[in-house]
Amino acid sequence: MKLKGLVLRSFLIMGVLVGGYQFKKIWGTQRRKTISLRVDHLFSKKIHDRLISFAREQEKITTSPALLGQIVKEQFPAVKKVKIKSSIDGNIRLVVAAQRPLVLINNDYILTKAGTLIRAHDIENEQVKRLPQLTIAQKDKEALYVSDECQRFIHHIENNLYNNYSVTWFDPSRVELQDKQTQHFTLLASNETVFSNALFAQYEKLKEEVGRKPGARKRWYVDVRFKNQIILFDQKGERG
């Protein structure tokens, strides 16, 4: 009889402990106290402030921590990853990481290293200024689209190319690189062009030769889209 009483008392104590833990866990979820943030320095002040406002709003409702991270990524496309740390008393800490910028496109958009397109104003302005710039030719009011071929081209070329040329993508068979040193010369390339040292040496030599001829101030196109062949022509299509 004493043994049965001892066993029963043990079960009751265990039940109280387990029940108390579950109650505390549920109470912590429903009575969340604070959500603290650690925000990536790459974010603009606008996004930083919006994340803080989002956290204050979420403190008023009972969203589970796991779902909270998903909501952040859905509402903020510039967010790459959210780490969540929660305590038993309901406090939550969010560590929010930004997408890594790769190139600025058409002044208003950023292609990230993950291949996503985000708005430039989501990233801190000084970071945006350091990015290489590329233009994608598009029709008025047409939504910006960065094709797979264009993305491969962007990954293919070296960053220092942007220092010397203004790069405009039309399609895989036409990419224009306008020389920043002299506005009279534009390289015509494709997404398969190999920008080797030998190619640029030939281009510089050709540029020097044309500069000594009459009519050197015309707009010249240097077509390097064909293997082992460079074609020079002016804006009227006449070969040089």
Side-chain angles (χ1 to χ4, degrees):
M1 191 72 178
K2 289 183 179 179
L3 181 61
K4 287 183 178 179
L6 183 62
V7 171
L8 181 60
R9 190 160 56 232
S10 298
F11 272 111
L12 285 172
I13 292 171
M14 187 179 296
V16 169
L17 290 173
V18 172
Y21 173 77
Q22 291 296 330
F23 173 78
K24 192 172 183 181
K25 187 176 180 181
I26 293 170
W27 180 87
T29 303
Q30 294 180 341
R31 297 288 298 273
R32 179 178 301 145
K33 292 182 179 179
T34 60
I35 299 177
S36 60
L37 286 169
R38 181 181 172 188
V39 179
D40 199 317
H41 72 282
L42 287 177
F43 286 118
S44 65
K45 185 180 184 302
K46 177 182 177 181
I47 294 298
H48 185 278
D49 292 345
R50 282 183 56 201
L51 282 166
I52 291 175
S53 297
F54 172 83
R56 299 293 82 83
E57 287 297 319
Q58 290 297 316
E59 287 175 344
K60 302 173 185 177
I61 58 180
T62 57
T63 307
S64 68
L67 186 59
L68 191 59
Q70 181 181 334
I71 294 173
V72 171
K73 292 183 72 173
E74 288 175 353
Q75 293 194 15
F76 299 88
V79 170
K80 179 183 179 182
K81 185 167 57 178
V82 183
K83 286 185 180 179
I84 302 172
K85 298 178 181 179
S86 55
S87 59
I88 195 65
D89 59 1
N91 291 332
I92 290 178
R93 181 166 177 77
L94 300 180
V95 181
V96 187
Q99 297 277 3
R100 279 16 226 175
L102 180 62
V103 62
L104 179 66
I105 298 179
N106 292 14
N107 295 319
D108 294 323
Y109 294 89
I110 290 173
L111 181 70
T112 71
K113 291 183 178 180
T116 57
L117 204 60
I118 62 175
R119 296 305 297 258
H121 57 57
D122 289 349
I123 300 298
E124 197 271 328
N125 191 48
E126 288 303 314
Q127 297 291 334
V128 174
K129 288 180 181 178
R130 297 189 188 106
L131 291 174
Q133 297 186 39
L134 178 134
T135 300
I136 293 180
Q138 59 183 140
K139 297 177 181 177
D140 292 341
K141 298 182 180 179
E142 183 182 46
L144 181 64
Y145 172 66
V146 186
S147 66
D148 291 342
E149 294 92 344
C150 183
Q151 290 196 42
R152 283 195 291 271
F153 176 81
I154 291 169
H155 284 281
H156 167 64
I157 62 177
E158 299 289 338
N159 276 356
N160 59 12
L161 193 70
Y162 296 104
N163 296 331
N164 299 317
Y165 301 92
S166 298
V167 184
T168 302
W169 170 277
F170 288 87
D171 57 53
S173 64
R174 186 182 181 92
V175 185
E176 292 191 3
L177 291 82
Q178 185 171 353
D179 198 319
K180 289 182 178 180
Q181 292 182 342
T182 168
Q183 300 294 313
H184 302 293
F185 286 86
T186 299
L187 279 170
L188 290 184
S190 74
N191 65 328
E192 296 183 355
T193 300
V194 177
F195 297 103
S196 63
N197 291 334
L199 174 65
F200 287 114
Q202 285 181 287
Y203 167 65
E204 290 297 330
K205 184 179 179 180
L206 181 63
K207 196 165 63 168
E208 185 179 342
E209 291 174 356
V210 172
R212 294 196 296 262
K213 295 179 180 180
R217 305 290 294 178
K218 290 194 295 185
R219 179 77 178 271
W220 293 99
Y221 291 91
V222 182
D223 195 337
V224 296
R225 290 175 291 184
F226 307 99
K227 190 175 181 180
N228 300 323
Q229 185 181 19
I230 295 179
I231 302 172
L232 175 70
F233 58 92
D234 62 19
Q235 57 191 1
K236 295 180 180 179
E238 297 177 358
R239 291 201 178 192

